[in-house]
Amino acid sequence: MEDFTEPIVQIRQLTKSYRRGGQIISVLTNISFDINSGEFIALMGPSGSGKSTLLNLIAGIDKPDSGSLKVNGRDIATLSEADLADWRAANVGFIFQFYNLMPVLTAFENVELPLLLTRLSRDQRQERVELALSMVGLTDRVEHYPSELSGGQQQRVAIARAFITDPVILVADEPTGDLDRASADDILAMLQRLNREMGKTIIMVTHDPYAAKSAHSIRHLEKGELDVTNQ
Amino acid sequence: MYISIPLSYIWRNLIARKLTTLLTAGGMALVVFVFATVLMLEEGLRKTLVETGSPDNVIITRRSAGTEVQSVVDRDQAAIVENQPEVAYSTNGLRLASKETIVLISLAKRSSDKASNVLIRGVGQKGIELRPQVEIVEGRMFRPGSTEIIAGKSVAERYYGAGIGETLRFGQREWTVVGIMDAGKTGFDSEIWGDVDQLMQTFRRPVYSSVILKLNDPAAFSALKTRIETDPRLTLEVKLESVFYAEQSQLLANFIRYLGMMLSIIFSIGAIIGAMITMYASVANRATEIGTMRALGFRRNNILSAFLLEALMLGAAGGVVGLVLASFMQFFTISTMNWQSFSELAFSFTLNIAIITKSLAFALIMGGVGGFLPAARAAGLNIVDSLRAV
């Protein structure tokens, strides 16, 4: 096990609810926990347990009702929408279940997309994208469109897109949920490598206990609360 | 405007949805076609009539007559006008003035056998010299004192008996066409010219319709105008020929413009709604992509700009196609009744930079208006909700 010293994510008394048809549905209730820098954690729990909501809050694409949520020392719950967008661009890498690649852009262009929000020159971007695609083993698929790639290859493009900006945390929502076992193994190995070799903190939501085994630790959510008996 | 989202993403999305893009841009192209065609029609009419007049020529008609057809200038008055000091001299020492008479006759069209009014202009010796844009392109000038006539190119092409060597019968006499004049697509192309004295005799007219003269100095116009219009012997009105013809074009040009603009506006509403539906569909189909881009750090205004730009590109595509189609209209010449002279006037659709600019701006406005609400919806999407829309 690695030595995790500094908590990179500090969650205190986090509460989130949704309004649906006039009813308020509580999704997360008083969640508090830390994630250390360089940690690879899996968030598990049944459907509707609030694990994806928690991931969205940590990733800064949703806002809590109350509580504090510090990522890399910054309370992101207080950031304005525009600041939050800039913060995400610099600090978070996203990996989705269905890859979420832009179908009209090539693998290269998809990976380059987050870099368009940086001040990097075209040459610098090209250099980084080529390196990222070689790290995920897709050097020969640079000019392919997503529809020309297999599910596993598309997820590899998505992973390259996620780490291209060298973010502090990587959030993955069911990254293997749409893949066959071989491709899923491939993707999980890649996430482990990113964690081990590049020191990326990874928070992964998954249903799959097999996938969760790749993580250093597993947090279970049950009806919007951390299941402390099952950690 | 800093967009961030690559242009390739925007235009490739348009290309990816080939059919809807084609139909939407096609709808806009048709509207731009109508819009540009109307402007070209108006410009063609304006150009034809305005360029008929020369800027240093003066036309004198009866006060308040408005048109030459309604005007009467008797011989004494014409003589006084002709001898004003502001009138230029030609190289052979004669005054550069032409006392003219206008007669309308009915001729049958070669295309439809239907009769239409054609304007016959009796001109003086200096009549052609006063109009440098008029050139005899076939045959020769009519001989003064004869029943020879020359026909404008457009008349010669469109009416029986008006071609070179052919004869026309009017005023109980036979008139031979001895020349064809090309007036550079001005109103004179729709006229037949003959000797003024012969025509007055034939039609038993004791008076002229107008007097055209060239100024020795364009600056002398107001002095001449004041003197003639205040002379108690004369009941005449003095106008620059270019102004006179511009006024003649106004009624018809305004009618074409208002009718055309009304049509364009009504059609454009349809095209805007079409663009709006297309763009709304595009936003709905790409909700996940929008959510993903927002998650990656693109801001709401990046999304707004991207979708707005996509709609503007649709508009621009429609504009270009519409203009290309409209440009083919330049090959057509149409004729219509000029209500001010009650005679047929032939003119062509004329395209110029101003019309191109206006049409493209119109197309972009259609795209922009059609695209704004969908773009605003795209920008307003909640990230989590749109990511769920897989």
Side-chain angles (χ1 to χ4, degrees), chain B residues 85-107:
Chain B
E86 288 85 0
V87 180
Y89 285 95
S90 73
T91 43
N92 62 4
L94 287 173
R95 292 271 183 177
L96 268 173
S98 173
K99 293 176 282 194
E100 305 192 340
T101 195
I102 299 295
V103 181
L104 290 177
I105 60 161
S106 184
L107 291 182

Side-chain angles (χ1 to χ4, degrees), chain B residues 164-219:
Chain B
I164 189 140
E166 293 182 298
T167 54
L168 287 172
R169 185 167 178 81
F170 56 84
Q172 293 166 345
R173 291 169 81 169
E174 294 279 341
W175 301 78
T176 311
V177 181
V178 295
I180 304 295
M181 57 178 169
D182 182 349
K185 292 190 173 173
T186 64
F188 298 129
D189 266 341
S190 299
E191 295 184 1
I192 292 173
W193 287 8
D195 178 67
V196 65
D197 295 319
Q198 287 298 312
L199 280 164
M200 283 169 76
Q201 225 173 51
T202 305
F203 288 99
R204 295 186 185 84
R205 290 238 174 138
V207 290
Y208 298 109
S209 302
S210 60
V211 180
I212 318 293
L213 47 89
K214 191 178 271 311
L215 293 170
N216 50 24
D217 174 11

Side-chain angles (χ1 to χ4, degrees), chain A residues 18 53 56 61-62 81-83 85-86 88-89 94 96 98 100-106 109 113-114 116-118 145 161, chain B residues 2 4-6 8-10 12-13 16 288-300 302 382-384 387-388 390:
Chain A
Y18 287 114
T53 302
N56 291 341
I61 57 173
D62 205 355
E81 198 180 83
D83 288 342
D86 295 345
R88 282 194 303 271
F94 287 87
F96 302 95
F98 298 106
N100 289 23
L101 298 176
M102 304 299 140
V104 296
L105 298 182
T106 61
E109 290 164 333
L113 205 54
L116 297 174
L117 292 165
T118 66
Y145 287 92
R161 181 180 68 184
Chain B
Y2 183 58
S4 295
I5 292 172
S8 53
Y9 172 76
I10 298 165
R12 278 187 215 156
N13 266 306
T288 315
E289 291 176 36
I290 295 164
T292 306
M293 281 202 267
R294 293 284 316 283
L296 295 180
F298 288 94
R299 293 183 175 194
R300 285 191 196 278
N302 296 137
N382 175 285
I383 304 177
V384 175
L387 283 175
R388 277 202 200 109
V390 179

